[in-house]
Amino acid sequence: MSTHSHDFEKDKEDLNKFGYAQELLRSMGGFSNFAISFSIISILTGAVSLYGHGLTYGGPGMMGFGWPIVALFVMFVAAAMAELASAIPTAGALYHWAAILKNKRWGWYTAWINLIGQIGIVAGIDYSVALFADPLLGQVFGYASTNTTVLIAFAVILLTHGILNHVGIRIVARLNDFSAWYHIIIVGVLVISLAFFTNGGLNGADYLFQVGETFSDKPYILAFLIGLLQAQWTFTGYDASAHTIEETINPRVRAPWGIFTSVAYSFVFGFIMLAIVTLSIKDASAATEAGNAFIYVISQALGGTFGSVILWLVTLAMWFCGCASITSFSRMLYAFARDKGMPYSSQWAQISKKYRTPAKAIWLSIILSFLLALIDYIIKTVNPDSAYTTIAFLTAVSVVGLYVAYGIPIWLKLRAQAQGKFQKKHLGPWNLGKYSNFISVVALIWIVFISVVMVIPPNEMAGYALAGMMVLLIIMDQAYYKKHFPGPQAALNTSREEILRRERELEQGSAPGASVTHKM
C-alpha cells in the first residue's frame, strides 16, 4: 500500500476510538517503523559492546550456540507483542495494553517497569558508544581514556541525540532509514574484510561451536548462562515500533511487522557477523583480558589503520542506535504523561507545535539516562575494586526492566482470553491465529528464565538496583498513584469534541517554539 493512497483519516479514527487526539505527526512508513526497532536492536551495538562479556563467560561457543538460542526465543516474545500492537495501536504500547486487558493499576506498574528498562537501554547504548569512541578519540588527540573521559563523551553523545530528536520526527525517521541500511552495509564490510584480509586467515568452522571453555572462575554451564547477556541485551528495544505507532501510517499492520522483522533480520545478520569475528580470533585468552575484546580482535585481525577505520564505522552505527532509542523512550514518557501517570505530567506531555515532537519528554529521557550512568560512576569511584563492569550493570538493568514489562501484557492477554474478556473480535489484522496462546506461553517462560539469569553474580548489582527501584515504585504507588492517576482508560471518556479541539490546535499552528499542553 502506497503512502499516497492510504486513508490517513482511518488511522486517526482508530486512534480517536482509544480516546486520543492525533497530536504527533503521522509520517513514518513501514520501513521507517521497522528501521527504528532494527536500529535500537543494533547488532553493531549489543553484540559488539558485550562481545568480551560473551567470550569471557561462554568462549567461542557463546557465539555459535548462545546467539541462536536467545534469538529463537526472543522471536516468540516479539510475535506475541506484535499481535498486541495490532490490537491496541497507541504510543503507550505496553502499559496501555496492560491497562485495557486488566486495569489501570496493572498499566501503571507496567509503565514504570518499562521506564526503568528504557532508562537502562538508553544509558547502556550511549555508554557503549562512549566506550568505543573515547579510546579512538584518545588515539587521535593523544590522551588516555579513563572512566571520567568516557563519562564526558557519554554526556556529549546524549546531547547530540537530544537535539536531533527535538528538531523533528522527519529527520530522525530519515536517520533511522539510513541507519538500517548502514548497519547492513557495515556488517557486510566487516564480514568481507575479515573473511579475506584477516592476518593468518580464519579458524576452522568448528571453532565457532567449541563449548566447555570459559575464561571466568565459574563452572561452564553457569558461565554460559551469564554470557547470554550479550545476545539478550542486543534483542531489546524492538517495542520502539509500538511506541512510534501513532506516527506510523497504516499502524495496525506496519508496526507489528516492524516489531517482528526487526528481530528476525537482526538474528540472521548478527549471527553472520559474530561467526566471522569469532573465527578471526588469534588468542581468545588475550582478547578477554584486553580492555575491549572486540577492538582487540579487530585490531589483531586487520592491523592498525584498516582496523581503526572499521572500528570508527562500527562506532557510528552505535551512535545511530542511541538516537533511535531516545525516540522510543521519549514517546513512552510522553504517552504516560499524557495519561497523568507521573509527577509534573503536564510538563512532560507538552508537544512542540513547531516540531510536533514531545520536546520536554525528550530532554527528560536524556537527563534520566545520564543520571543512571553518573550514579554508577560515583559508586565505581568510591569503590574502584568493584568486580562488575558499568556496561554489564546498565545492560542487565535494561534487560530485566524491559522484558518484565514485555511479559506483563502478554500474561494479561492470556488471562483475559481465559475469562472471555479478550476475544477474536478484539484482535487486529496482524494476529497469530490458533498459535497465539502457545507462542505467548513460550514467550513468558523465556522471560521468567532470562530475568533470573540476568541478575545472578557477577551481575547482582543490577538486581540490587532493580530491587531499589521497585521499592521506590511501591512508595510512589502509595504517595502518587491513588490520588493522581486516572489511568489510560480515562481517555476513553474523553469527548469527541475535546479530541477534535486538540487536533485543530495543532493543525492551525502557532508561534515558533510554542507548545500544546493537555488539560490536567
Side-chain angles (χ1 to χ4, degrees):
M1 178 184 296
S2 71
T3 298
H4 296 293
S5 65
H6 182 68
D7 186 357
F8 287 88
E9 194 64 28
K10 176 66 167 59
D11 293 344
K12 189 171 77 168
E13 288 176 0
D14 278 347
L15 182 61
N16 293 164
K17 289 175 184 176
F18 287 93
Y20 296 108
Q22 181 65 61
E23 296 183 295
L24 298 171
L25 183 64
R26 195 178 289 277
S27 63
M28 294 179 71
F31 184 80
S32 293
N33 185 276
F34 154 81
I36 189 170
S37 286
F38 186 71
S39 294
I40 294 177
I41 291 174
S42 181
I43 54 177
L44 288 169
T45 301
V48 166
S49 58
L50 285 175
Y51 186 80
H53 180 89
L55 187 64
T56 297
Y57 286 97
M62 178 56 63
M63 317 306 161
F65 290 110
W67 182 270
I69 290 170
V70 169
L72 176 64
F73 284 105
V74 168
M75 289 183 71
F76 281 86
V77 179
M81 288 172 59
E83 184 175 60
L84 284 168
S86 184
I88 308 170
T90 63
L94 306 168
Y95 93 89
H96 277 186
W97 307 343
I100 291 171
L101 290 167
K102 183 63 177 176
N103 57 43
K104 66 178 185 177
R105 192 164 202 162
W106 277 95
W108 191 81
Y109 270 95
T110 301
W112 276 103
I113 293 169
N114 188 22
L115 284 176
I116 290 169
Q118 291 281 359
I119 295 169
I121 194 171
V122 171
I125 290 169
D126 276 4
Y127 200 84
S128 296
V129 185
L131 284 173
F132 271 69
D134 190 57
L136 290 171
L137 288 169
Q139 292 174 12
V140 175
F141 295 105
Y143 69 86
S145 178
T146 66
N147 288 341
T148 302
T149 59
V150 169
L151 187 70
I152 293 170
F154 171 66
V156 173
I157 291 161
L158 278 172
L159 184 63
T160 62
H161 290 155
I163 292 170
L164 280 169
N165 274 277
H166 185 125
V167 168
I169 188 61
R170 283 197 177 103
I171 291 175
V172 173
R174 289 192 186 102
L175 282 174
N176 288 330
D177 290 354
F178 176 74
S179 173
W181 288 113
Y182 182 83
H183 273 73
I184 294 171
I185 291 168
I186 298 307
V187 168
V189 170
L190 180 62
V191 167
I192 292 171
S193 299
L194 291 172
F196 292 99
F197 302 110
T198 292
N199 296 326
L202 300 177
N203 296 310
D206 59 330
Y207 182 73
L208 181 64
F209 302 98
Q210 182 177 303
V211 295
E213 181 181 28
T214 179
F215 301 95
S216 70
D217 59 355
K218 310 289 184 185
Y220 186 74
I221 295 299
L222 178 60
F224 186 88
L225 293 177
I226 294 171
L228 291 178
L229 175 62
Q230 178 199 10
Q232 191 63 55
W233 184 59
T234 305
F235 290 107
T236 52
Y238 46 88
D239 53 318
S241 290
H243 291 308
T244 53
I245 204 165
E246 292 181 25
E247 295 158 274
T248 301
I249 300 163
N250 192 18
R252 290 195 167 200
V253 174
R254 287 175 167 171
W257 276 120
I259 292 171
F260 186 75
T261 55
S262 62
V263 172
Y265 281 108
S266 296
F267 177 5
V268 175
F269 287 111
F271 182 75
I272 294 170
M273 180 190 73
L274 286 174
I276 298 298
V277 171
T278 303
L279 293 178
S280 69
I281 292 176
K282 302 306 171 190
D283 186 340
S285 178
T288 60
E289 293 173 1
N292 187 310
F294 188 85
I295 291 178
Y296 179 87
V297 171
I298 298 302
S299 298
Q300 291 292 305
L302 299 178
T305 303
F306 190 21
S308 293
V309 170
I310 294 295
L311 290 170
W312 272 114
L313 293 173
V314 170
T315 302
L316 182 57
M318 293 181 173
W319 183 89
F320 284 127
C321 173
C323 190
S325 68
I326 289 292
T327 307
S328 176
F329 186 8
S330 61
R331 270 50 176 186
M332 168 61 203
L333 275 174
Y334 156 75
F336 196 31
R338 180 176 60 179
D339 291 326
K340 307 179 189 179
M342 54 198 298
Y344 306 106
S345 286
S346 61
Q347 294 295 315
W348 317 126
Q350 288 185 6
I351 296 291
S352 166
K353 283 188 177 181
K354 181 176 181 180
Y355 298 113
R356 296 292 291 269
T357 58
K360 291 187 177 180
I362 288 167
W363 290 107
L364 181 60
S365 304
I366 299 291
I367 292 167
L368 292 174
S369 301
F370 179 77
L371 286 176
L372 181 61
L374 179 63
I375 291 169
D376 179 76
Y377 171 81
I378 294 170
I379 293 171
K380 297 284 279 190
T381 301
V382 173
N383 185 17
D385 295 326
S386 300
Y388 74 95
T389 62
T390 298
I391 191 64
F393 166 74
L394 295 175
T395 53
V397 167
S398 66
V399 166
V400 178
L402 287 173
Y403 271 87
V404 170
Y406 293 173
I408 290 173
I410 296 172
W411 176 62
L412 292 177
K413 190 209 76 170
L414 289 174
R415 286 194 58 184
Q417 281 182 319
Q419 296 166 355
K421 296 178 180 178
F422 188 87
Q423 302 171 14
K424 187 176 291 187
K425 65 181 181 180
H426 297 124
L427 293 169
W430 199 105
N431 63 79
L432 301 169
K434 63 181 180 180
Y435 300 105
S436 176
N437 287 354
F438 170 75
I439 289 172
S440 296
V441 169
V442 173
L444 287 173
I445 291 171
W446 180 252
I447 288 170
V448 171
F449 168 74
I450 208 66
S451 295
V452 173
V453 169
M454 292 300 100
V455 295
I456 59 179
N459 285 342
E460 67 272 19
M461 281 300 296
Y464 298 151
L466 288 161
M469 291 177 187
M470 286 304 299
V471 169
L472 288 174
L473 186 51
I474 292 170
I475 294 171
M476 284 184 62
D477 181 1
Q478 300 302 313
Y480 182 86
Y481 164 82
K482 290 183 178 179
K483 296 180 181 178
H484 299 92
F485 183 56
Q489 289 190 341
L492 296 174
N493 298 322
T494 303
S495 69
R496 176 71 175 169
E497 291 72 22
E498 173 65 13
I499 293 170
L500 294 176
R501 181 192 66 77
R502 292 179 188 170
E503 291 177 345
R504 282 196 300 271
E505 280 185 356
L506 286 164
E507 289 167 358
Q508 290 168 359
S510 65
S515 60
V516 61
T517 307
H518 289 273
K519 286 177 65 178
M520 291 292 171

